Amino acid sequence: MAMIFHYREQDTLLGRANPLTKLFLLLSICIISSGATLAAAIAILVLLGGVAALIRLPLASYGRDLRFFAVMGLLILLVNGLSTGDWALATLLTLRFLDIILAAIIFSDTTDFWDLSCSIAPVLDLIPFVHGWRVASAIQLTIMLVPMVFEVTEQVRDAQQARGAFLGNPVRALATYASQVMETLLDKLDDASDSLDARLFDPDARRASLPMRAGDLPLLVLGAGLLVVRYLC
């Protein structure tokens, strides 16, 4: 089963684009989605759905990971709808949430976070008193934790279910589950730390970054166009 927020190497326009281009496009989509009308939010979701189909995003195989965001979307809909009585607004907020989540999934599916950190570092280095490569390394290592958390929670949940741990007292079962997740996650982080030490990882070391290509231009224009539409409408 594919893991959500995992990079898949692919020969597509998005896959070949510079990570900074894709980051700019992601931020543009998030900004325009945050203030989108109902019609615009639906249009963005349809557009992102088309992109997901073009890059063959394995949404069906994400399984339990997607259920978390489905539950979050349902909670946003119900909480806002029941508290305000305005179900149109609740639907709009839910669609905005789904737009941003789907954009983030597409971004992580087409972007190698190592390449992203190497591309961000030279930009951050231009800021006075900022160690660009060290910050970029911290970003890369932090982002690396996202799929690790999903993987650990799924492994612990499957193990607990196999032992029938969820059949007893729900409070005790939840406490046991949480403690097992934290213990397993700390073990994996310790292994990752040992691996970095073994490779003599230097957060300040300069690494090669990807150049901008002609294929980045339409994506940059699209991102800029979204921002213009956002602030003019």
Side-chain angles (χ1 to χ4, degrees), residues 82-134:
L82 294 174
S83 62
T84 65
D86 190 344
W87 289 97
L89 177 60
T91 302
L92 173 59
L93 295 176
T94 305
L95 287 172
R96 289 175 178 174
F97 169 76
L98 294 177
D99 287 343
I100 294 173
I101 292 300
L102 183 53
I105 292 174
I106 293 173
F107 174 77
S108 62
D109 182 76
T110 57
T111 306
D112 186 331
F113 290 125
W114 183 263
D115 291 338
L116 176 62
S117 66
C118 291
S119 298
I120 288 177
V123 178
L124 296 177
D125 250 352
L126 299 175
I127 303 174
F129 309 111
V130 173
H131 300 282
W133 289 100
R134 183 178 300 179

Side-chain angles (χ1 to χ4, degrees), residues 188-201:
K188 284 188 172 291
L189 288 174
D190 191 45
D191 292 340
S193 177
D194 292 339
S195 177
L196 291 173
D197 289 339
R199 295 201 300 265
L200 301 178
F201 177 73

Side-chain angles (χ1 to χ4, degrees), residues 30 42 46 74 76 100 125 148 167 171 173 176-177 189 208 215 221:
C30 291
I42 294 174
V46 171
L74 183 60
I76 292 172
I100 294 173
D125 250 352
M148 184 185 294
L167 299 179
V171 176
T176 303
Y177 173 70
L189 288 174
V221 171

Side-chain angles (χ1 to χ4, degrees), residues 156-166:
V156 173
R157 181 172 55 242
D158 290 342
Q160 295 283 65
Q161 286 178 342
R163 293 196 298 265
F166 293 122

Side-chain angles (χ1 to χ4, degrees), residues 33-49:
S33 296
S34 64
T37 62
L38 183 60
I42 294 174
I44 293 171
L45 189 61
V46 171
L47 175 63
L48 292 174

